[in-house]
Amino acid sequence: MPDYNAWSHPDTAAFDFRGDVRTRPTAAMLEALSNASLEDDVSGTDTTTNELQNYMAHLTSKPAGLFVLSGTMGNLVSIRSLLTQPPYAILCDARAHILNNESGGVFALTGAIPQVVQPANGRFLTLDDDIIPRIQVDNGKQIHKAPTRIIALENTLNGMVMPLSEIRRICNYAHKHGILVHLDGARLWEAIAAGEGSLSDYGPLFDTITLCFAKGLGASAGAVVVGSEAVIRHARWIRQSIGGGVRQPGPLCAAARVAVEQTFCGGLLQRTHGIARDIAAEWQKHGGRLTFPTETNMVWFNFNGLGFTLEDLVKEAATRGVLISRDRLVVHYQICEEAIESLKKSIEVLFSRFQETREIA
Ligand SMILES: *Cc1c(COP(=O)(O)O)cnc(C)c1O
């Protein structure tokens, strides 16, 4: 495996499991960045930016794309651009990023009512169990409840993959009832790396999709929204209104393109899934439980009923130079082999220390 941290940045990512936001741009990304075009994108005339937008539209089989500064901004401009006249509601998973991790932006800036659903199967929303019972279809009669205008799905969610077959059912049903569907696909790369379809399978099903270039792909910033020409035209307005129009985003777009081509298309994510499974297996081997199944690059340690706490694990791992911060561990492609072995060792040490304590008691 190439040494992604060798290009001189002192702040290494190779031992950092605190999140895949910890990835660093690679030498190839920095080189692309310095060769990017430097025209004005507020007027839509920057070559590198337009090329990235077209490339992402092509990959997802959508007519158009728009570069945005973050996944949060992508979800906001997408959803704001799909909605027209209130009253309206957005149906989403109770654990959705738009609901819990975006400072309420989508709901504050649209005035939409959230229709929050805890999926019956604990993993992903299904049409029959979660959506049909909760959706408010506009049948021209009832006026007490805000009609559902958007279903917002997320894939992956907490590292779990939503099956393409269920997504297809939900999108078909929604469109048949005049409801639009947005995908928070900040981590969609991971679902695809796990074998669940391709980008061009998802694009045609959704009205808008957000994809992030930072996180697991390794770029330092940026995301893209893909959709119809009309929606993207409107999204450009919304982006401008919230201060997301950037004069010279060319360098960011150039790095993002390398991130897509080398990290995602280059197949570097699959290894992270294998590592996550390996770490999860180590945890389970000692009797540890997982809060959510490890289906991509996340491992959710459950500390309930163990003789040690998250803080104990954080400290034990730190003695070996491994950084973790919460019960969710994220494996990114710049994690090195030594970090994996050190983390597994830390897990083993804690479980056996706990075992000894129990035996003495
Ligand atoms: C990280 C993330 C976002 C937001 O991305 P930012 O670039 O941090 O704003 C949105 N949705 C999901 C599922 C994410 O994991």
Side-chain angles (χ1 to χ4, degrees), residues 36-296:
S37 63
L38 294 168
E39 301 308 317
D40 176 39
D41 179 54
V42 173
S43 60
T45 53
D46 181 60
T47 308
T48 305
T49 305
N50 289 337
E51 281 173 359
L52 176 73
Q53 291 171 168
N54 292 339
Y55 176 61
M56 291 312 303
H58 169 74
L59 285 182
T60 53
S61 296
K62 291 304 269 183
L66 184 70
F67 178 77
V68 288
L69 290 171
S70 64
T72 299
M73 185 178 278
N75 288 333
L76 177 55
V77 303
S78 296
I79 289 173
R80 180 60 278 178
S81 301
L82 293 180
L83 290 169
T84 50
Q85 179 84 320
Y88 37 54
I90 301 170
L91 186 147
C92 66
D93 190 305
R95 304 158 302 179
H97 201 277
I98 56 164
L99 191 63
N100 300 290
N101 303 91
E102 301 186 6
S103 300
V106 163
F107 299 95
L109 288 158
T110 62
I113 298 296
Q115 286 171 339
V116 178
V117 189
Q118 192 78 53
N121 65 19
R123 292 166 59 215
F124 54 85
L125 293 174
T126 64
L127 180 64
D128 298 327
D129 290 345
D130 309 311
I131 296 192
I132 292 177
R134 289 299 307 278
I135 207 168
Q136 292 296 326
V137 172
D138 177 5
N139 58 10
K141 292 192 196 114
Q142 72 83 17
I143 59 161
H144 293 95
K145 295 200 166 45
T148 309
R149 296 293 185 210
I150 295 181
I151 296 173
L153 301 181
E154 184 175 318
N155 194 18
T156 59
L157 188 156
N158 286 352
M160 294 180 289
V161 176
M162 186 164 188
L164 193 51
S165 55
E166 195 61 33
I167 291 178
R168 210 169 263 131
R169 291 187 72 219
I170 293 169
C171 291
N172 289 342
Y173 183 91
H175 288 140
K176 206 182 288 170
H177 291 86
I179 294 165
L180 302 174
V181 198
H182 169 71
L183 177 63
D184 178 354
R187 299 178 175 279
L188 185 60
W189 323 102
E190 305 293 347
I192 294 165
E196 201 64 21
S198 65
L199 286 175
S200 61
D201 288 325
Y202 290 89
L205 298 174
F206 289 93
D207 296 281
T208 44
I209 301 182
T210 304
L211 292 139
C212 275
F213 302 124
K215 300 266 175 77
L217 294 201
S220 59
V224 71
V225 171
V226 293
S228 69
E229 296 280 1
V231 167
I232 294 301
R233 181 173 177 274
H234 198 87
R236 191 174 272 280
W237 244 326
I238 303 300
R239 186 186 69 174
Q240 190 66 13
S241 76
I242 56 171
V246 177
R247 289 297 169 189
Q248 297 174 351
L252 293 176
C253 291
R257 177 141 189 173
V258 172
V260 175
E261 288 179 343
Q262 297 194 348
T263 313
F264 174 68
C265 302
L268 299 184
L269 299 180
Q270 278 82 358
R271 173 179 164 269
T272 67
H273 296 189
I275 298 168
R277 282 194 298 272
D278 189 25
I279 294 167
E282 179 71 29
W283 182 259
Q284 290 176 304
K285 188 176 89 187
H286 299 287
R289 285 180 298 121
L290 303 174
T291 305
F292 299 111
T294 294
E295 298 178 355
T296 55

